[in-house]
Amino acid sequence: MGVAVGNILARGSLERAIADVDMAYYLVRSMMTARVQETDRRAAETFVAAAPPSLQRVIYLGGLVPRGEQRSAHL
């Protein structure tokens, strides 16, 4: 087991990073942009497009929202 590094917004980079994996953790948040929803959607779409045939499981790690708090529209 190891750590793969790639650019979530660059399909080719991501394809090389996850070429032979069978499981991946997905924890991506675009906090450094004013267009968070658009960038997060693009990242997820890039990940799906780059996923190799060997990928059997993706574990999505989302954000926690305290009870009574308002969550953002895209969560």
Side-chain angles (χ1 to χ4, degrees):
M1 177 170 22
V3 175
V5 178
N7 181 339
I8 194 69
L9 298 175
R11 182 175 172 175
S13 167
L14 197 54
E15 285 174 338
R16 287 186 295 279
I18 63 174
D20 297 319
V21 302
D22 59 5
M23 182 185 80
Y25 290 92
Y26 188 90
L27 172 59
V28 176
R29 281 299 309 259
S30 53
M31 303 296 286
M32 302 300 290
T33 178
R35 302 169 94 167
V36 173
Q37 291 176 337
E38 178 183 321
T39 305
D40 279 356
R41 179 181 305 277
R42 190 169 140 224
E45 290 170 348
T46 301
F47 181 83
V48 169
S54 61
L55 185 62
Q56 307 226 349
R57 180 174 296 183
V58 175
I59 300 170
Y60 175 77
L61 303 170
L64 298 175
V65 179
R67 184 170 287 157
E69 293 288 323
Q70 186 71 20
R71 63 183 177 158
S72 63
H74 73 294
L75 291 178

Short mmCIF file of all heavy atoms in Angstrom, two decimals:
data_model
loop_
_atom_site.label_atom_id
_atom_site.label_comp_id
_atom_site.label_asym_id
_atom_site.label_seq_id
_atom_site.Cartn_x
_atom_site.Cartn_y
_atom_site.Cartn_z
N MET A 1 0.86 -1.17 0.00
CA MET A 1 0.00 0.00 0.00
C MET A 1 0.90 1.23 0.00
O MET A 1 1.91 1.27 0.65
CB MET A 1 -0.91 0.00 1.22
CG MET A 1 -1.74 1.24 1.25
SD MET A 1 -3.12 1.46 2.38
CE MET A 1 -2.93 0.39 3.72
N GLY A 2 0.47 2.24 -0.73
CA GLY A 2 1.25 3.46 -0.79
C GLY A 2 0.35 4.65 -1.02
O GLY A 2 -0.86 4.53 -1.09
N VAL A 3 0.96 5.79 -1.14
CA VAL A 3 0.24 7.02 -1.38
C VAL A 3 0.46 7.43 -2.84
O VAL A 3 1.59 7.45 -3.31
CB VAL A 3 0.73 8.14 -0.44
CG1 VAL A 3 0.07 9.46 -0.79
CG2 VAL A 3 0.47 7.76 1.00
N ALA A 4 -0.61 7.72 -3.53
CA ALA A 4 -0.52 8.18 -4.92
C ALA A 4 -0.78 9.68 -4.93
O ALA A 4 -1.68 10.16 -4.25
CB ALA A 4 -1.55 7.46 -5.78
N VAL A 5 -0.01 10.39 -5.72
CA VAL A 5 -0.16 11.84 -5.80
C VAL A 5 -0.47 12.23 -7.23
O VAL A 5 0.19 11.79 -8.17
CB VAL A 5 1.13 12.55 -5.32
CG1 VAL A 5 0.98 14.05 -5.45
CG2 VAL A 5 1.46 12.16 -3.90
N GLY A 6 -1.51 13.04 -7.40
CA GLY A 6 -1.87 13.54 -8.71
C GLY A 6 -2.68 14.81 -8.57
O GLY A 6 -3.13 15.16 -7.48
N ASN A 7 -2.87 15.49 -9.67
CA ASN A 7 -3.66 16.72 -9.69
C ASN A 7 -5.11 16.34 -10.00
O ASN A 7 -5.41 15.88 -11.10
CB ASN A 7 -3.11 17.68 -10.74
CG ASN A 7 -3.86 18.99 -10.80
OD1 ASN A 7 -5.01 19.10 -10.37
ND2 ASN A 7 -3.23 19.99 -11.36
N ILE A 8 -6.00 16.56 -9.06
CA ILE A 8 -7.39 16.15 -9.21
C ILE A 8 -8.11 16.86 -10.36
O ILE A 8 -9.12 16.39 -10.85
CB ILE A 8 -8.17 16.35 -7.88
CG1 ILE A 8 -9.52 15.64 -7.90
CG2 ILE A 8 -8.35 17.83 -7.56
CD1 ILE A 8 -9.47 14.16 -7.89
N LEU A 9 -7.56 17.96 -10.82
CA LEU A 9 -8.18 18.68 -11.94
C LEU A 9 -7.49 18.40 -13.28
O LEU A 9 -7.89 18.96 -14.29
CB LEU A 9 -8.19 20.18 -11.64
CG LEU A 9 -9.02 20.58 -10.42
CD1 LEU A 9 -8.86 22.07 -10.14
CD2 LEU A 9 -10.48 20.22 -10.59
N ALA A 10 -6.48 17.54 -13.27
CA ALA A 10 -5.76 17.20 -14.51
C ALA A 10 -5.86 15.70 -14.73
O ALA A 10 -5.16 14.92 -14.08
CB ALA A 10 -4.30 17.64 -14.41
N ARG A 11 -6.73 15.30 -15.62
CA ARG A 11 -7.03 13.88 -15.81
C ARG A 11 -5.79 13.02 -16.04
O ARG A 11 -5.64 11.95 -15.45
CB ARG A 11 -8.02 13.71 -16.96
CG ARG A 11 -8.41 12.27 -17.16
CD ARG A 11 -9.47 12.12 -18.21
NE ARG A 11 -9.68 10.72 -18.51
CZ ARG A 11 -10.61 10.29 -19.32
NH1 ARG A 11 -11.42 11.13 -19.92
NH2 ARG A 11 -10.74 9.00 -19.55
N GLY A 12 -4.88 13.46 -16.91
CA GLY A 12 -3.68 12.67 -17.19
C GLY A 12 -2.83 12.44 -15.96
O GLY A 12 -2.35 11.33 -15.72
N SER A 13 -2.66 13.46 -15.16
CA SER A 13 -1.90 13.36 -13.91
C SER A 13 -2.56 12.37 -12.97
O SER A 13 -1.91 11.53 -12.35
CB SER A 13 -1.81 14.74 -13.25
OG SER A 13 -1.35 14.64 -11.93
N LEU A 14 -3.86 12.45 -12.88
CA LEU A 14 -4.61 11.57 -11.99
C LEU A 14 -4.58 10.12 -12.50
O LEU A 14 -4.44 9.19 -11.72
CB LEU A 14 -6.05 12.07 -11.86
CG LEU A 14 -6.86 11.53 -10.71
CD1 LEU A 14 -6.16 11.74 -9.38
CD2 LEU A 14 -8.23 12.16 -10.69
N GLU A 15 -4.72 9.95 -13.81
CA GLU A 15 -4.67 8.59 -14.38
C GLU A 15 -3.34 7.91 -14.04
O GLU A 15 -3.33 6.73 -13.68
CB GLU A 15 -4.84 8.65 -15.90
CG GLU A 15 -6.26 8.91 -16.32
CD GLU A 15 -6.42 9.11 -17.81
OE1 GLU A 15 -5.43 9.45 -18.50
OE2 GLU A 15 -7.55 8.93 -18.29
N ARG A 16 -2.23 8.63 -14.14
CA ARG A 16 -0.93 8.05 -13.79
C ARG A 16 -0.86 7.71 -12.30
O ARG A 16 -0.32 6.68 -11.92
CB ARG A 16 0.20 9.00 -14.17
CG ARG A 16 0.44 9.08 -15.67
CD ARG A 16 1.66 9.93 -16.01
NE ARG A 16 1.51 11.33 -15.65
CZ ARG A 16 0.86 12.23 -16.38
NH1 ARG A 16 0.26 11.88 -17.49
NH2 ARG A 16 0.79 13.49 -15.98
N ALA A 17 -1.42 8.55 -11.48
CA ALA A 17 -1.33 8.36 -10.03
C ALA A 17 -2.14 7.16 -9.55
O ALA A 17 -1.73 6.47 -8.62
CB ALA A 17 -1.80 9.62 -9.30
N ILE A 18 -3.29 6.90 -10.18
CA ILE A 18 -4.17 5.83 -9.68
C ILE A 18 -4.30 4.67 -10.66
O ILE A 18 -5.23 3.87 -10.57
CB ILE A 18 -5.56 6.38 -9.31
CG1 ILE A 18 -6.30 6.95 -10.52
CG2 ILE A 18 -5.45 7.42 -8.19
CD1 ILE A 18 -7.74 7.37 -10.22
N ALA A 19 -3.34 4.52 -11.54
CA ALA A 19 -3.40 3.54 -12.62
C ALA A 19 -3.73 2.12 -12.17
O ALA A 19 -4.50 1.44 -12.82
CB ALA A 19 -2.10 3.55 -13.41
N ASP A 20 -3.18 1.65 -11.09
CA ASP A 20 -3.35 0.24 -10.70
C ASP A 20 -4.06 0.05 -9.37
O ASP A 20 -4.00 -1.04 -8.80
CB ASP A 20 -1.98 -0.44 -10.65
CG ASP A 20 -1.30 -0.45 -12.00
OD1 ASP A 20 -2.00 -0.70 -13.01
OD2 ASP A 20 -0.10 -0.19 -12.06
N VAL A 21 -4.71 1.08 -8.87
CA VAL A 21 -5.34 0.94 -7.55
C VAL A 21 -6.66 0.19 -7.63
O VAL A 21 -7.34 0.20 -8.65
CB VAL A 21 -5.55 2.31 -6.86
CG1 VAL A 21 -4.24 3.06 -6.70
CG2 VAL A 21 -6.56 3.15 -7.60
N ASP A 22 -7.01 -0.48 -6.53
CA ASP A 22 -8.32 -1.14 -6.47
C ASP A 22 -9.23 -0.47 -5.45
O ASP A 22 -10.41 -0.73 -5.39
CB ASP A 22 -8.18 -2.63 -6.18
CG ASP A 22 -7.46 -2.93 -4.87
OD1 ASP A 22 -7.14 -1.98 -4.14
OD2 ASP A 22 -7.23 -4.11 -4.60
N MET A 23 -8.66 0.44 -4.65
CA MET A 23 -9.45 1.19 -3.66
C MET A 23 -8.86 2.58 -3.53
O MET A 23 -7.65 2.76 -3.60
CB MET A 23 -9.42 0.50 -2.31
CG MET A 23 -10.27 1.21 -1.27
SD MET A 23 -10.13 0.49 0.37
CE MET A 23 -8.60 1.23 0.90
N ALA A 24 -9.73 3.58 -3.34
CA ALA A 24 -9.26 4.95 -3.19
C ALA A 24 -10.11 5.67 -2.15
O ALA A 24 -11.31 5.43 -2.04
CB ALA A 24 -9.34 5.69 -4.52
N TYR A 25 -9.47 6.53 -1.38
CA TYR A 25 -10.16 7.44 -0.49
C TYR A 25 -10.32 8.76 -1.24
O TYR A 25 -9.36 9.25 -1.83
CB TYR A 25 -9.37 7.69 0.79
CG TYR A 25 -9.31 6.50 1.70
CD1 TYR A 25 -8.27 5.58 1.61
CD2 TYR A 25 -10.30 6.30 2.66
CE1 TYR A 25 -8.22 4.48 2.45
CE2 TYR A 25 -10.26 5.20 3.50
CZ TYR A 25 -9.21 4.30 3.40
OH TYR A 25 -9.17 3.22 4.23
N TYR A 26 -11.51 9.31 -1.21
CA TYR A 26 -11.76 10.58 -1.89
C TYR A 26 -12.08 11.63 -0.84
O TYR A 26 -13.15 11.64 -0.24
CB TYR A 26 -12.92 10.43 -2.88
CG TYR A 26 -13.10 11.66 -3.76
CD1 TYR A 26 -12.45 11.77 -4.97
CD2 TYR A 26 -13.92 12.71 -3.36
CE1 TYR A 26 -12.60 12.89 -5.78
CE2 TYR A 26 -14.08 13.83 -4.15
CZ TYR A 26 -13.42 13.91 -5.36
OH TYR A 26 -13.57 15.02 -6.14
N LEU A 27 -11.12 12.50 -0.61
CA LEU A 27 -11.30 13.62 0.32
C LEU A 27 -10.76 14.85 -0.38
O LEU A 27 -9.56 15.15 -0.33
CB LEU A 27 -10.56 13.39 1.64
CG LEU A 27 -10.53 14.56 2.61
CD1 LEU A 27 -11.92 15.00 3.00
CD2 LEU A 27 -9.71 14.21 3.83
N VAL A 28 -11.62 15.52 -1.10
CA VAL A 28 -11.21 16.67 -1.90
C VAL A 28 -12.15 17.82 -1.60
O VAL A 28 -13.37 17.68 -1.70
CB VAL A 28 -11.24 16.35 -3.41
CG1 VAL A 28 -10.90 17.57 -4.23
CG2 VAL A 28 -10.31 15.20 -3.73
N ARG A 29 -11.59 18.95 -1.23
CA ARG A 29 -12.35 20.18 -1.06
C ARG A 29 -11.55 21.31 -1.64
O ARG A 29 -10.39 21.48 -1.33
CB ARG A 29 -12.62 20.48 0.42
CG ARG A 29 -13.72 19.71 1.07
CD ARG A 29 -15.08 19.94 0.41
NE ARG A 29 -15.43 21.33 0.25
CZ ARG A 29 -16.23 22.02 1.01
NH1 ARG A 29 -16.81 21.47 2.00
NH2 ARG A 29 -16.46 23.28 0.76
N SER A 30 -12.17 22.10 -2.48
CA SER A 30 -11.48 23.22 -3.12
C SER A 30 -11.71 24.49 -2.31
O SER A 30 -12.54 25.31 -2.63
CB SER A 30 -11.99 23.39 -4.55
OG SER A 30 -13.40 23.48 -4.56
N MET A 31 -10.94 24.64 -1.28
CA MET A 31 -11.09 25.77 -0.36
C MET A 31 -10.40 27.04 -0.87
O MET A 31 -10.63 28.10 -0.35
CB MET A 31 -10.52 25.40 1.01
CG MET A 31 -11.14 24.17 1.62
SD MET A 31 -12.88 24.38 1.99
CE MET A 31 -12.76 25.43 3.41
N MET A 32 -9.57 26.91 -1.86
CA MET A 32 -8.77 28.04 -2.31
C MET A 32 -9.34 28.73 -3.55
O MET A 32 -8.63 29.35 -4.31
CB MET A 32 -7.34 27.58 -2.59
CG MET A 32 -6.65 26.93 -1.40
SD MET A 32 -6.52 28.00 0.03
CE MET A 32 -5.31 29.17 -0.55
N THR A 33 -10.63 28.61 -3.76
CA THR A 33 -11.25 29.21 -4.93
C THR A 33 -12.59 29.83 -4.55
O THR A 33 -13.25 29.36 -3.63
CB THR A 33 -11.43 28.17 -6.06
OG1 THR A 33 -12.08 28.80 -7.16
CG2 THR A 33 -12.26 26.99 -5.61
N ALA A 34 -12.99 30.83 -5.26
CA ALA A 34 -14.28 31.46 -5.00
C ALA A 34 -15.42 30.63 -5.60
O ALA A 34 -16.57 30.80 -5.25
CB ALA A 34 -14.30 32.87 -5.59
N ARG A 35 -15.07 29.70 -6.49
CA ARG A 35 -16.08 28.88 -7.17
C ARG A 35 -16.02 27.44 -6.63
O ARG A 35 -15.78 26.50 -7.37
CB ARG A 35 -15.83 28.90 -8.66
CG ARG A 35 -15.87 30.34 -9.21
CD ARG A 35 -15.38 30.40 -10.60
NE ARG A 35 -16.53 30.29 -11.50
CZ ARG A 35 -16.48 30.56 -12.78
NH1 ARG A 35 -15.35 30.93 -13.32
NH2 ARG A 35 -17.55 30.45 -13.52
N VAL A 36 -16.25 27.30 -5.33
CA VAL A 36 -16.11 26.01 -4.65
C VAL A 36 -16.99 24.94 -5.28
O VAL A 36 -16.52 23.84 -5.59
CB VAL A 36 -16.41 26.15 -3.14
CG1 VAL A 36 -16.43 24.80 -2.46
CG2 VAL A 36 -15.40 27.07 -2.48
N GLN A 37 -18.25 25.20 -5.47
CA GLN A 37 -19.16 24.19 -6.00
C GLN A 37 -18.73 23.71 -7.38
O GLN A 37 -18.68 22.51 -7.65
CB GLN A 37 -20.58 24.72 -6.06
CG GLN A 37 -21.18 24.93 -4.69
CD GLN A 37 -22.56 25.55 -4.77
OE1 GLN A 37 -22.91 26.19 -5.76
NE2 GLN A 37 -23.35 25.36 -3.74
N GLU A 38 -18.42 24.64 -8.25
CA GLU A 38 -18.01 24.30 -9.61
C GLU A 38 -16.71 23.49 -9.61
O GLU A 38 -16.58 22.50 -10.32
CB GLU A 38 -17.84 25.57 -10.43
CG GLU A 38 -17.39 25.34 -11.85
CD GLU A 38 -17.18 26.66 -12.59
OE1 GLU A 38 -17.98 27.59 -12.40
OE2 GLU A 38 -16.20 26.73 -13.35
N THR A 39 -15.75 23.91 -8.80
CA THR A 39 -14.46 23.23 -8.76
C THR A 39 -14.60 21.84 -8.14
O THR A 39 -13.99 20.88 -8.63
CB THR A 39 -13.43 24.07 -7.99
OG1 THR A 39 -13.37 25.38 -8.58
CG2 THR A 39 -12.05 23.44 -8.03
N ASP A 40 -15.38 21.70 -7.08
CA ASP A 40 -15.60 20.39 -6.47
C ASP A 40 -16.28 19.43 -7.45
O ASP A 40 -15.93 18.26 -7.53
CB ASP A 40 -16.43 20.50 -5.20
CG ASP A 40 -15.60 20.91 -3.99
OD1 ASP A 40 -14.35 21.04 -4.13
OD2 ASP A 40 -16.18 21.11 -2.92
N ARG A 41 -17.25 19.92 -8.21
CA ARG A 41 -17.93 19.08 -9.20
C ARG A 41 -16.95 18.64 -10.29
O ARG A 41 -16.90 17.48 -10.68
CB ARG A 41 -19.11 19.79 -9.83
CG ARG A 41 -19.82 18.95 -10.89
CD ARG A 41 -20.99 19.66 -11.52
NE ARG A 41 -21.94 20.13 -10.55
CZ ARG A 41 -22.92 19.38 -10.01
NH1 ARG A 41 -23.04 18.13 -10.36
NH2 ARG A 41 -23.75 19.91 -9.15
N ARG A 42 -16.14 19.58 -10.76
CA ARG A 42 -15.15 19.27 -11.79
C ARG A 42 -14.15 18.23 -11.29
O ARG A 42 -13.76 17.31 -12.02
CB ARG A 42 -14.44 20.54 -12.24
CG ARG A 42 -13.59 20.33 -13.47
CD ARG A 42 -13.12 21.68 -14.01
NE ARG A 42 -11.75 21.51 -14.45
CZ ARG A 42 -10.76 22.33 -14.21
NH1 ARG A 42 -10.96 23.45 -13.56
NH2 ARG A 42 -9.55 22.09 -14.64
N ALA A 43 -13.72 18.37 -10.04
CA ALA A 43 -12.79 17.40 -9.46
C ALA A 43 -13.41 16.01 -9.40
O ALA A 43 -12.75 15.02 -9.75
CB ALA A 43 -12.38 17.86 -8.06
N ALA A 44 -14.65 15.91 -8.98
CA ALA A 44 -15.32 14.61 -8.91
C ALA A 44 -15.48 14.00 -10.30
O ALA A 44 -15.26 12.80 -10.49
CB ALA A 44 -16.68 14.76 -8.23
N GLU A 45 -15.83 14.81 -11.26
CA GLU A 45 -15.99 14.31 -12.63
C GLU A 45 -14.65 13.85 -13.21
O GLU A 45 -14.58 12.83 -13.91
CB GLU A 45 -16.62 15.38 -13.52
CG GLU A 45 -18.07 15.64 -13.18
CD GLU A 45 -18.66 16.86 -13.86
OE1 GLU A 45 -17.91 17.68 -14.43
OE2 GLU A 45 -19.90 17.01 -13.81
N THR A 46 -13.58 14.56 -12.89
CA THR A 46 -12.25 14.18 -13.35
C THR A 46 -11.83 12.85 -12.72
O THR A 46 -11.29 11.97 -13.38
CB THR A 46 -11.21 15.27 -13.01
OG1 THR A 46 -11.61 16.48 -13.64
CG2 THR A 46 -9.82 14.89 -13.49
N PHE A 47 -12.12 12.69 -11.43
CA PHE A 47 -11.79 11.45 -10.73
C PHE A 47 -12.52 10.27 -11.37
O PHE A 47 -11.92 9.22 -11.64
CB PHE A 47 -12.16 11.57 -9.25
CG PHE A 47 -11.83 10.33 -8.47
CD1 PHE A 47 -10.55 10.13 -7.99
CD2 PHE A 47 -12.79 9.37 -8.22
CE1 PHE A 47 -10.24 8.98 -7.27
CE2 PHE A 47 -12.49 8.23 -7.51
CZ PHE A 47 -11.21 8.03 -7.02
N VAL A 48 -13.80 10.41 -11.64
CA VAL A 48 -14.58 9.34 -12.26
C VAL A 48 -14.03 9.01 -13.65
O VAL A 48 -13.86 7.84 -14.01
CB VAL A 48 -16.07 9.71 -12.34
CG1 VAL A 48 -16.84 8.74 -13.21
CG2 VAL A 48 -16.68 9.78 -10.95
N ALA A 49 -13.71 10.03 -14.43
CA ALA A 49 -13.19 9.81 -15.78
C ALA A 49 -11.82 9.13 -15.76
O ALA A 49 -11.49 8.36 -16.66
CB ALA A 49 -13.12 11.14 -16.52
N ALA A 50 -11.02 9.40 -14.73
CA ALA A 50 -9.66 8.86 -14.65
C ALA A 50 -9.60 7.49 -13.98
O ALA A 50 -8.57 6.83 -14.02
CB ALA A 50 -8.76 9.83 -13.87
N ALA A 51 -10.70 7.05 -13.39
CA ALA A 51 -10.70 5.80 -12.63
C ALA A 51 -10.34 4.61 -13.53
O ALA A 51 -10.93 4.42 -14.58
CB ALA A 51 -12.07 5.58 -11.99
N PRO A 52 -9.37 3.80 -13.09
CA PRO A 52 -8.97 2.65 -13.88
C PRO A 52 -9.96 1.49 -13.71
O PRO A 52 -10.72 1.46 -12.74
CB PRO A 52 -7.61 2.28 -13.28
CG PRO A 52 -7.73 2.68 -11.85
CD PRO A 52 -8.57 3.93 -11.88
N PRO A 53 -9.96 0.52 -14.62
CA PRO A 53 -10.84 -0.65 -14.49
C PRO A 53 -10.60 -1.42 -13.19
O PRO A 53 -11.51 -2.07 -12.69
CB PRO A 53 -10.48 -1.51 -15.70
CG PRO A 53 -9.86 -0.58 -16.69
CD PRO A 53 -9.18 0.48 -15.87
N SER A 54 -9.39 -1.32 -12.64
CA SER A 54 -9.08 -2.04 -11.40
C SER A 54 -9.75 -1.45 -10.17
O SER A 54 -9.85 -2.11 -9.13
CB SER A 54 -7.56 -2.05 -11.18
OG SER A 54 -7.06 -0.72 -11.06
N LEU A 55 -10.23 -0.21 -10.26
CA LEU A 55 -10.83 0.46 -9.09
C LEU A 55 -12.17 -0.18 -8.76
O LEU A 55 -13.10 -0.15 -9.55
CB LEU A 55 -11.01 1.96 -9.37
CG LEU A 55 -11.50 2.80 -8.19
CD1 LEU A 55 -10.51 2.75 -7.04
CD2 LEU A 55 -11.75 4.22 -8.62
N GLN A 56 -12.25 -0.76 -7.57
CA GLN A 56 -13.46 -1.46 -7.15
C GLN A 56 -14.21 -0.75 -6.04
O GLN A 56 -15.40 -0.98 -5.86
CB GLN A 56 -13.08 -2.86 -6.67
CG GLN A 56 -12.28 -3.60 -7.69
CD GLN A 56 -12.77 -5.00 -7.90
OE1 GLN A 56 -13.57 -5.51 -7.17
NE2 GLN A 56 -12.26 -5.61 -8.93
N ARG A 57 -13.50 0.09 -5.29
CA ARG A 57 -14.14 0.76 -4.15
C ARG A 57 -13.60 2.16 -3.98
O ARG A 57 -12.40 2.37 -4.01
CB ARG A 57 -13.90 -0.05 -2.88
CG ARG A 57 -14.53 0.58 -1.65
CD ARG A 57 -14.39 -0.30 -0.46
NE ARG A 57 -15.15 -1.50 -0.74
CZ ARG A 57 -15.30 -2.50 0.10
NH1 ARG A 57 -14.75 -2.44 1.28
NH2 ARG A 57 -16.00 -3.55 -0.21
N VAL A 58 -14.51 3.11 -3.78
CA VAL A 58 -14.13 4.48 -3.45
C VAL A 58 -14.79 4.81 -2.11
O VAL A 58 -16.00 4.62 -1.94
CB VAL A 58 -14.60 5.49 -4.52
CG1 VAL A 58 -14.29 6.91 -4.09
CG2 VAL A 58 -13.96 5.18 -5.86
N ILE A 59 -14.00 5.26 -1.19
CA ILE A 59 -14.51 5.67 0.12
C ILE A 59 -14.52 7.19 0.14
O ILE A 59 -13.46 7.83 0.08
CB ILE A 59 -13.65 5.10 1.25
CG1 ILE A 59 -13.68 3.57 1.17
CG2 ILE A 59 -14.13 5.61 2.61
CD1 ILE A 59 -12.70 2.88 2.06
N TYR A 60 -15.71 7.75 0.16
CA TYR A 60 -15.88 9.20 0.13
C TYR A 60 -15.86 9.73 1.54
O TYR A 60 -16.64 9.30 2.39
CB TYR A 60 -17.20 9.56 -0.56
CG TYR A 60 -17.50 11.04 -0.52
CD1 TYR A 60 -16.85 11.91 -1.38
CD2 TYR A 60 -18.39 11.57 0.39
CE1 TYR A 60 -17.10 13.27 -1.36
CE2 TYR A 60 -18.65 12.92 0.43
CZ TYR A 60 -18.00 13.76 -0.44
OH TYR A 60 -18.24 15.11 -0.40
N LEU A 61 -14.98 10.66 1.80
CA LEU A 61 -14.87 11.29 3.11
C LEU A 61 -15.42 12.70 2.99
O LEU A 61 -14.77 13.58 2.45
CB LEU A 61 -13.41 11.31 3.57
CG LEU A 61 -12.75 9.93 3.65
CD1 LEU A 61 -11.26 10.06 3.86
CD2 LEU A 61 -13.39 9.08 4.72
N GLY A 62 -16.63 12.90 3.44
CA GLY A 62 -17.28 14.20 3.35
C GLY A 62 -17.04 15.02 4.60
O GLY A 62 -16.35 14.61 5.52
N GLY A 63 -17.64 16.18 4.62
CA GLY A 63 -17.49 17.06 5.77
C GLY A 63 -18.54 16.81 6.83
O GLY A 63 -19.64 16.37 6.54
N LEU A 64 -18.18 17.05 8.06
CA LEU A 64 -19.12 16.93 9.17
C LEU A 64 -19.83 18.27 9.36
O LEU A 64 -19.22 19.32 9.28
CB LEU A 64 -18.40 16.57 10.46
CG LEU A 64 -17.68 15.22 10.45
CD1 LEU A 64 -16.90 15.05 11.75
CD2 LEU A 64 -18.67 14.09 10.27
N VAL A 65 -21.12 18.21 9.60
CA VAL A 65 -21.90 19.41 9.83
C VAL A 65 -22.53 19.28 11.22
O VAL A 65 -23.32 18.37 11.46
CB VAL A 65 -23.01 19.58 8.76
CG1 VAL A 65 -23.82 20.83 9.03
CG2 VAL A 65 -22.40 19.62 7.37
N PRO A 66 -22.17 20.16 12.14
CA PRO A 66 -22.74 20.09 13.48
C PRO A 66 -24.26 20.24 13.44
O PRO A 66 -24.81 20.97 12.61
CB PRO A 66 -22.11 21.28 14.22
CG PRO A 66 -20.88 21.60 13.43
CD PRO A 66 -21.20 21.24 12.02
N ARG A 67 -24.95 19.54 14.33
CA ARG A 67 -26.40 19.61 14.42
C ARG A 67 -26.85 21.06 14.57
O ARG A 67 -26.30 21.82 15.34
CB ARG A 67 -26.88 18.80 15.61
CG ARG A 67 -28.40 18.74 15.70
CD ARG A 67 -28.86 17.76 16.72
NE ARG A 67 -28.62 16.45 16.13
CZ ARG A 67 -28.48 15.33 16.83
NH1 ARG A 67 -28.51 15.35 18.12
NH2 ARG A 67 -28.26 14.19 16.21
N GLY A 68 -27.82 21.44 13.76
CA GLY A 68 -28.36 22.79 13.82
C GLY A 68 -27.64 23.79 12.93
O GLY A 68 -28.09 24.90 12.77
N GLU A 69 -26.51 23.40 12.36
CA GLU A 69 -25.74 24.29 11.49
C GLU A 69 -26.23 24.16 10.04
O GLU A 69 -26.70 23.11 9.63
CB GLU A 69 -24.25 23.96 11.54
CG GLU A 69 -23.62 24.24 12.88
CD GLU A 69 -23.46 25.72 13.18
OE1 GLU A 69 -23.16 26.47 12.25
OE2 GLU A 69 -23.65 26.09 14.33
N GLN A 70 -26.09 25.22 9.31
CA GLN A 70 -26.45 25.22 7.88
C GLN A 70 -25.28 24.65 7.08
O GLN A 70 -24.15 25.06 7.26
CB GLN A 70 -26.75 26.65 7.42
CG GLN A 70 -27.26 26.75 6.03
CD GLN A 70 -28.69 26.23 5.88
OE1 GLN A 70 -29.42 26.13 6.85
NE2 GLN A 70 -29.07 25.90 4.68
N ARG A 71 -25.55 23.71 6.21
CA ARG A 71 -24.49 23.19 5.35
C ARG A 71 -24.53 23.89 4.00
O ARG A 71 -25.54 24.44 3.61
CB ARG A 71 -24.60 21.68 5.18
CG ARG A 71 -25.85 21.24 4.51
CD ARG A 71 -25.91 19.73 4.45
NE ARG A 71 -27.17 19.35 3.85
CZ ARG A 71 -27.40 18.21 3.28
NH1 ARG A 71 -26.45 17.32 3.23
NH2 ARG A 71 -28.55 17.95 2.75
N SER A 72 -23.41 23.84 3.31
CA SER A 72 -23.36 24.49 2.00
C SER A 72 -24.22 23.74 1.00
O SER A 72 -24.50 22.55 1.17
CB SER A 72 -21.91 24.57 1.52
OG SER A 72 -21.39 23.28 1.33
N ALA A 73 -24.64 24.40 -0.05
CA ALA A 73 -25.57 23.82 -1.03
C ALA A 73 -25.03 22.57 -1.70
O ALA A 73 -25.78 21.63 -1.97
CB ALA A 73 -25.91 24.87 -2.09
N HIS A 74 -23.73 22.51 -1.95
CA HIS A 74 -23.20 21.35 -2.67
C HIS A 74 -22.96 20.14 -1.79
O HIS A 74 -22.73 19.05 -2.29
CB HIS A 74 -21.95 21.72 -3.46
CG HIS A 74 -20.75 21.94 -2.62
ND1 HIS A 74 -20.62 22.97 -1.73
CD2 HIS A 74 -19.60 21.25 -2.56
CE1 HIS A 74 -19.46 22.91 -1.16
NE2 HIS A 74 -18.81 21.88 -1.64
N LEU A 75 -23.00 20.28 -0.48
CA LEU A 75 -22.88 19.10 0.39
C LEU A 75 -24.24 18.46 0.56
O LEU A 75 -24.38 17.34 0.87
CB LEU A 75 -22.31 19.50 1.76
CG LEU A 75 -20.86 19.92 1.76
CD1 LEU A 75 -20.43 20.33 3.18
CD2 LEU A 75 -19.96 18.79 1.27
#
